[in-house]
Each structure stands twice: as C-alpha cells, then as structure tokens.
Amino acid sequence: MKVNVLGDKVKIYLSGRIDSANAYEREQEVFDIIGENAGKGIIFDMSELKYISSAGLRILLKVKKSVKDEVILSEVCPNIYEILETTGFTELFLVKKKMREVSIDGLDVIGKGFYGTVYRIDSDKIIKVYESADAIDMIENERNMARLAFLNGLPTAISYDIVKVGNSYGSVFELLNAKTFNDLIIENPGNIDELVRLYVDLMKQIHATEISGDKIPSAKTGFIDYIRFLKEYLDESIYIRIMNLFDELKDDNHLIHGDIQMKNVMMVDGEPMLIDMDTLSKGKPIFELAGLYVTYRAFEEDDPGNSMSFLGISDEMSRMIWNKVIRCYYDNIDEEELDRITDKIRIVASIRFLYIVCSSDLKNGELGKIRIEHTKEHLRELIERVDTLN
C-alpha cells in the first residue's frame, strides 16, 4: 500500500477493490501504517479505488474511531462517492471528489482578474482558472460566499464543478448565452446609460441586503489591515489620521460585493447576475465605490492605455463609466455634495490601490514608484478636506 507522509498528515493510497475477500489484510496494513505514524492526521487517497464493500467501509469507521484528527477521503471517483453518500459517510468524513481534467487550449478569454482568468467553454458554460497556490481554498470560499448571497436573494452564479486545469484548478459555471456588462458596453457604447442604470440597481440591491453573524468578513477590518501594512510607506501623521478615520467609521452589516467592476456582472437572459463572489464582505457602500474608483480611475492615471489592456476600453470610456455610475448611484444630490462624497471615496480607494501596488510586483520599476508617490500625494491632499468617512 503506497504511503506519503505530508508534515503532520499521512496519505494512504487505496486502490483496486476492498471487499470481504481482502478486507482483513487491508485493515491490518492500514493500522500498521497508522501505528508507524502515531499522532498524524489521516488522508485516504481513493483516486485508484474501483470498489468498496460494507467490509471496506467498516475499516474506515474503525480508523475514524481510533484517531483524534479528522479523517479525509480525497480524490473520490463518482461511483465510490455515490456509495459513500448513500451510506451516510459524507456526513461522517470530509469527502473530496476526484476532479475531472479540463483543457483550456483554444478557449476564448472573456475576463482576467487579479487571481485568475475566465474562459468561455461554450455558449452555456464558462470556467475561471485560478493562478494562486491556494486555488482550492479560494474556490471553496467563493462557492460558500455565492451560496450565501444566493440564499439572501441576490442573483448569483454558483459554481457547479471544480476541475483540474494543468497544474492549477478551475471553477465551472453554467451561464446561458451570458456576456459581461463590460463586453456589452464595448459592443454597443450607445447603450451605456441603460446598462449603468441596471448595474447601479444591482449594486443597490446588494447594499440593501443585511446579514448578521461572522460568516462574512468585515470590509472595514480588512482595510485596517491594509493600513497597518502600509505604515512604512506613509508619513506618520498621515498614517495616524487615516487610521483614526477608519477606526471611527461605523460598522455595517450590509453586503458589498468587493470587486463589482463590470467584468464581474453578467447579463443572463436579460437579467444581471454576479460572479467572482470570493470578495464578498459586509460594510458601507464606500468600500464598494472605492473599488470601482481603483478599477476605472486609479490604474489609468499614471499608465495611459491601462484600461484598454485590462478592460478592453479606452481611458476616456473608463472615466465616463465612473462618472455615470457615481452620478446614478447618488442621483438626488447636487454637485458640491457629490464632490464631498467623492473625496471620501478617493481616500478609501487610495488605500486600496496603494495596498495592491505595494503588496505585489507592481511596486517595482519606475511606474510603481510613480504610482506610490502620486497616491501618497492624493492622500495628503484629501486628508485636509475630509474629517469623516461616514
């Protein structure tokens, strides 16, 4: 029986058939391995297991009773998973299905974000391929956030499958004849006002959804962590004043998407639908609007043409989208009040943008230095005009 020790866990590879004819020998072998690796967690790799009878299931139960840590059943093929589900073992163990492998060769790219790329599989399905080493955890988190949002009445695409894509992983969604709002504006810029109205209506629906408990992270807490990270980049007086602004910002249990740029909103059968739910959090709308400012204004400020390379639109169109969205969101206030609100949004956006730059390779090179200095200049200027983010 193949064995692989992984730090504080031991992976035991089950293969072939486990039935009454060989269950005793298999059980002895499994417990010999456990005895040699006392105190370690147990993972059973079932990728090569073809069949397991009730005698084999009893071995798993004995293992679960004999070890303190959680027993994981991984790489479970569909027919074995059906047995485990029917017998209730999926309630007793952490069971992870074997992932089917998918190729993205020749697929059209329909979107690219900070953590991955979205491809069109066919007219009905898309796949988001992650580039992070923590892809599985990120995919699971996104699925959980999407389910929670969906159960709270928000139009959300939920991944129905996790697949292996080369050395990485992807999340598959079924979206019938869907296009992003970003693509729709590129195809028909004359329809921008109607699309912005639908887009803002969806944002307001999200921001009107309240949820209690600790399942959803706090945007405010996340931003305070950003500020602490940026302490070495900020003047001490600016750091203190910004930290005070965020400290006194009122907590809020309303939902925000966290990255609701138009590439993350799909039009499905004439209705808007959210994707990329891993950034879901709770807080005031200022955090949402700050994210939009970063996408449509901050990135292109010192890098003309950035909007075209990232969004496929001109810098002028990017600025137009921001101006129309903010005016539509605050449709009943005068320009002076809108300017005051925008100053507050820009402070939060500057923190977000500075964190993105300084925590990644974007800080390197001449452009990175320029972006950091300009963002710090914006903060010094804005902090003189803003005394609260509420």
Side-chain angles (χ1 to χ4, degrees):
M1 193 174 286
K2 183 181 174 184
V3 178
N4 188 15
V5 178
L6 307 166
D8 62 349
K9 290 184 170 35
V10 58
K11 181 179 284 191
I12 303 172
Y13 294 80
L14 303 179
S15 61
R17 295 172 59 88
I18 303 179
D19 53 30
S20 57
N22 62 8
Y24 178 78
E25 290 80 4
R26 291 290 187 97
E27 180 179 334
Q28 294 302 309
E29 194 170 3
V30 165
F31 277 94
D32 284 345
I33 293 168
I34 292 174
E36 293 166 1
N37 295 274
K40 294 186 183 297
I42 306 298
I43 303 172
F44 285 107
D45 184 305
M46 296 184 164
S47 57
E48 299 299 323
L49 187 65
K50 306 302 181 187
Y51 175 78
I52 187 167
S53 71
S54 58
L57 295 177
R58 284 195 290 273
I59 298 173
L60 298 179
L61 283 176
K62 289 179 181 178
V63 171
K64 183 173 177 60
K65 291 178 180 178
S66 68
V67 299
K68 294 180 180 179
D69 289 346
E70 184 174 46
V71 178
I72 299 172
L73 311 182
S74 70
E75 296 294 300
V76 179
C77 62
N79 63 309
I80 300 293
Y81 185 87
E82 187 176 348
I83 293 172
L84 297 175
E85 190 172 42
T86 301
T87 54
F89 272 56
T90 52
E91 303 296 323
L92 297 175
F93 296 83
L94 176 57
V95 181
K96 298 182 178 181
K97 286 185 178 180
K98 184 177 183 179
M99 298 177 193
R100 63 189 179 96
E101 297 189 4
V102 170
S103 172
I104 56 174
D105 292 344
L107 298 184
D108 292 333
V109 175
I110 63 172
K112 188 171 178 62
F114 201 69
Y115 295 110
T117 303
V118 181
Y119 299 86
R120 167 76 62 192
I121 298 176
D122 54 36
S123 61
D124 295 344
K125 296 185 286 294
I126 65 172
I127 178 172
K128 180 179 179 182
V129 180
Y130 286 74
E131 297 166 0
S132 170
D134 302 319
I136 296 295
D137 291 340
M138 294 174 70
I139 291 172
E140 292 291 356
N141 176 65
E142 180 175 359
R143 293 177 85 178
N144 291 335
M145 294 296 101
R147 289 192 192 101
L148 195 152
F150 184 80
L151 292 174
N152 278 274
L154 299 178
T156 308
I158 301 176
S159 167
Y160 70 87
D161 198 8
I162 301 176
V163 296
K164 194 93 164 55
V165 185
N167 293 322
S168 189
Y169 298 91
S171 194
V172 181
F173 300 84
E174 186 173 29
L175 294 171
L176 298 175
N177 300 312
K179 289 186 176 181
T180 69
F181 271 48
N182 191 76
D183 289 340
L184 292 173
I185 283 182
I186 292 172
E187 291 176 5
N188 186 6
N191 199 31
I192 186 171
D193 289 333
E194 175 61 17
L195 288 170
V196 165
R197 185 188 64 77
L198 290 171
Y199 179 68
V200 169
D201 285 348
L202 177 60
M203 270 201 288
K204 289 188 173 183
Q205 181 185 353
I206 298 167
H207 301 163
T209 303
E210 190 169 8
I211 186 165
S212 57
D214 57 2
K215 290 184 179 180
I216 304 291
S218 161
K220 174 182 169 180
T221 300
F223 268 77
I224 288 175
D225 288 341
Y226 293 169
I227 299 167
R228 291 193 177 109
F229 174 88
L230 293 170
K231 185 174 183 179
E232 65 177 285
Y233 294 92
L234 299 172
D235 300 334
E236 185 175 1
S237 60
I238 298 296
Y239 172 82
I240 292 171
R241 292 181 68 179
I242 289 174
M243 185 63 85
N244 287 338
L245 283 176
F246 277 83
D247 277 339
E248 63 95 30
L249 181 63
K250 294 177 182 177
D251 292 323
D252 197 306
N253 285 327
H254 289 86
L255 290 180
I256 58 174
H257 179 277
D259 187 20
I260 201 170
Q261 52 159 297
M262 287 189 171
K263 290 169 70 174
N264 287 335
V265 181
M266 310 288 289
M267 185 73 85
V268 184
D269 293 332
E271 298 292 333
M273 180 175 287
L274 296 163
I275 62 172
D276 264 18
M277 301 300 292
D278 51 309
T279 53
L280 193 71
S281 57
K282 56 186 178 182
K284 289 190 172 293
I286 191 170
F287 293 110
E288 192 90 270
L289 298 169
L292 289 183
Y293 189 92
V294 169
T295 298
Y296 292 107
R297 295 301 308 276
F299 268 104
E300 56 95 4
E301 179 184 7
D302 296 309
D303 185 23
N306 183 282
S307 297
M308 182 59 69
S309 61
F310 182 64
L311 300 169
I313 60 177
S314 67
D315 293 343
E316 180 183 8
M317 175 60 80
S318 185
R319 290 189 290 270
M320 183 186 298
I321 288 173
W322 165 256
N323 289 331
K324 286 183 177 292
V325 167
I326 197 68
R327 281 174 171 78
C328 185
Y329 194 93
Y330 294 105
D331 58 348
N332 292 317
I333 62 174
D334 59 35
E335 287 296 316
E336 186 177 347
E337 180 61 19
L338 185 59
D339 286 343
R340 285 197 289 269
I341 289 173
T342 302
D343 280 349
K344 298 179 183 187
I345 292 170
R346 287 182 62 201
I347 285 184
V348 181
S350 294
I351 293 299
R352 178 175 176 138
F353 185 61
L354 195 57
Y355 177 79
I356 290 172
V357 172
C358 294
S359 64
S360 70
D361 290 338
L362 293 175
K363 66 178 176 293
N364 301 322
E366 193 60 31
L367 178 58
K369 294 176 183 177
I370 292 172
R371 280 173 160 166
I372 291 170
E373 287 308 311
H374 276 184
T375 307
K376 289 165 64 176
E377 287 174 13
H378 294 325
L379 285 170
R380 282 191 287 267
E381 171 195 352
L382 291 164
I383 206 75
E384 297 300 322
R385 301 201 298 263
V386 175
D387 56 8
T388 179
L389 296 178
N390 286 306

